[in-house]
């Protein structure tokens, strides 16, 4: 099973562009090394503040509305992510309980759909086109 772990920073200065300390980066690097050795990490990265972001709201037949950041609702911001391969959500929860985060930080663990999760809605033709599209992606996607 694949999971996306969304990191929601609790630091108020995240949106002002404050960077983690060298000690923070070292601690997270060691944690990532452990998960890499366990064969769990498929992808990971940190995200820049929303002042460099955009949101697009779709509204039926009207043109989508594009809004540039920053976004003021900081409690819902995502500061980084992992895509992990694990046997279960419980395994990911156990790993994330060991993550070197600060007081107030939060992660959200979401299972990623696999094609077979769509059941009979996914026709063999659609499934084949998705498989072919994925084969064209660079490794680790």
């Amino acid at each position: 099973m694949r999971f996306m772990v969304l990191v929601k920073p609790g630091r108020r200065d995240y949106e002002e562009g404050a960077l983690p300390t060298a000690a923070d980066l070292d601690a997270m690097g060691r944690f990532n090394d452990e998960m890499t050795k366990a064969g769990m990490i498929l992808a990971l990265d940190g995200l820049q503040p929303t002042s460099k972001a955009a949101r697009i709201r779709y509204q039926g037949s009207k043109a989508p509305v594009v809004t540039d950041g920053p976004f003021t609702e900081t409690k819902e911001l995502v500061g980084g992510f992992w895509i992990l391969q694990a046997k279960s959500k419980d395994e990911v929860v156990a790993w994330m309980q060991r993550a070197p985060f600060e007081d107030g930080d939060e992660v959200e663990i979401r299972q990623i759909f696999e094609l077979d999760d769509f059941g009979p809605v996914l026709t063999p033709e659609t499934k084949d086109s998705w498989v072919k599209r994925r084969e064209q992606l660079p490794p680790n996607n």
Side-chain angles (χ1 to χ4, degrees):
M1 293 179 216
R2 294 177 303 147
F3 294 87
M4 177 172 256
V5 179
L6 304 168
V7 179
K8 298 178 178 182
R11 299 173 48 178
R12 293 189 179 273
D13 60 357
Y14 169 77
E15 271 301 295
E16 285 99 47
L19 297 174
T21 66
D24 293 339
L25 289 176
D26 287 344
M28 191 57 73
R30 286 190 298 276
F31 180 67
N32 286 331
D33 286 347
E34 289 180 41
M35 286 201 300
T36 299
K37 288 176 186 169
M40 296 186 66
I41 295 181
L42 300 175
L44 75 158
D45 252 315
L47 300 175
Q48 296 275 343
T50 65
S51 59
K52 299 179 180 180
R55 286 183 176 164
I56 301 175
R57 181 176 304 274
Y58 301 90
Q59 42 187 15
S61 60
K62 296 180 184 176
V65 175
V66 179
T67 306
D68 289 325
F71 305 117
T72 57
E73 288 294 326
T74 57
K75 65 181 181 182
E76 297 299 328
L77 296 178
V78 176
F81 68 91
W82 283 279
I83 296 180
L84 303 174
Q85 180 79 44
K87 294 176 186 153
S88 67
K89 182 178 73 178
D90 290 342
E91 182 180 13
V92 178
V93 168
W95 274 96
M96 288 301 124
Q97 288 176 322
R98 298 172 37 205
F101 286 118
E102 297 178 3
D103 185 36
D105 291 342
E106 183 177 293
V107 298
E108 180 176 319
I109 300 166
R110 306 274 303 268
Q111 187 171 350
I112 296 173
F113 271 110
E114 302 297 341
L115 289 177
D116 291 337
D117 292 333
F118 293 102
V121 172
L122 184 69
T123 66
E125 295 80 18
T126 302
K127 183 176 182 176
D128 187 51
S129 71
W130 277 83
V131 169
K132 287 179 181 172
R133 194 173 300 119
R134 284 186 177 168
E135 289 171 352
Q136 296 172 355
L137 297 173
N140 297 324
N141 282 301

